Amino acid sequence: QVQLVESGGGLVQAGGSLRLSCAASGRTFSSYAMGWFRQAPGKEREFVAAVNWSGGSTFYVDSVKGRFTISRDNAKSTMYLQMNSLKPEDTAVYYCAAALSTYSSWSGRYSSTAPYDYWGQGTQVTVSS
């Protein structure tokens, strides 16, 4: 069992930056591949970024490439999402997720919600134009 708590959301103007954090507890953090997802009102939850167990491999949805950076600190059991050059279309509730999966199971499906076993409660990000 693992508990995930997101923080760092808020209201920011277009072009601004925010840094989200996801603090994990309950199990060895490095046992999990991690991901960030977001859900805007009336829309399905969508993949934003993912990072493998060591932090050495990262993946992004095309719409955030070059603007967002995912990272993790296994010693602190925390994952981050640095968001720069924010746009109004980035407005959503952002969720972190943890996957206790094998490499072969996760690596081909990291952008799907399916391999993720645990989810945080979400943090609201609002970008004003």
Side-chain angles (χ1 to χ4, degrees), residues 75-93:
K76 295 183 178 180
S77 299
T78 303
M79 176 179 65
Y80 305 98
L81 186 68
Q82 178 67 44
M83 305 186 295
N84 299 329
S85 302
L86 282 160
K87 304 176 180 180
E89 51 263 44
D90 295 318
T91 295
V93 177

Side-chain angles (χ1 to χ4, degrees), residues 18-91:
L18 284 174
R19 189 194 197 201
L20 305 185
S21 298
C22 173
S25 61
R27 192 167 176 150
T28 304
F29 184 62
S30 58
S31 300
Y32 293 89
M34 300 292 294
W36 285 101
F37 289 76
R38 66 187 179 187
Q39 189 166 18
K43 295 188 176 181
E44 293 187 353
R45 190 168 298 190
E46 67 168 356
F47 169 74
V48 176
V51 60
N52 73 344
W53 295 260
S54 68
S57 294
T58 57
F59 308 90
Y60 300 92
V61 67
D62 286 347
S63 61
V64 308
K65 284 181 180 177
R67 301 189 298 122
F68 291 10
T69 303
I70 189 172
S71 62
R72 65 188 296 165
D73 185 337
N74 287 344
K76 295 183 178 180
S77 299
T78 303
M79 176 179 65
Y80 305 98
L81 186 68
Q82 178 67 44
M83 305 186 295
N84 299 329
S85 302
L86 282 160
K87 304 176 180 180
E89 51 263 44
D90 295 318
T91 295

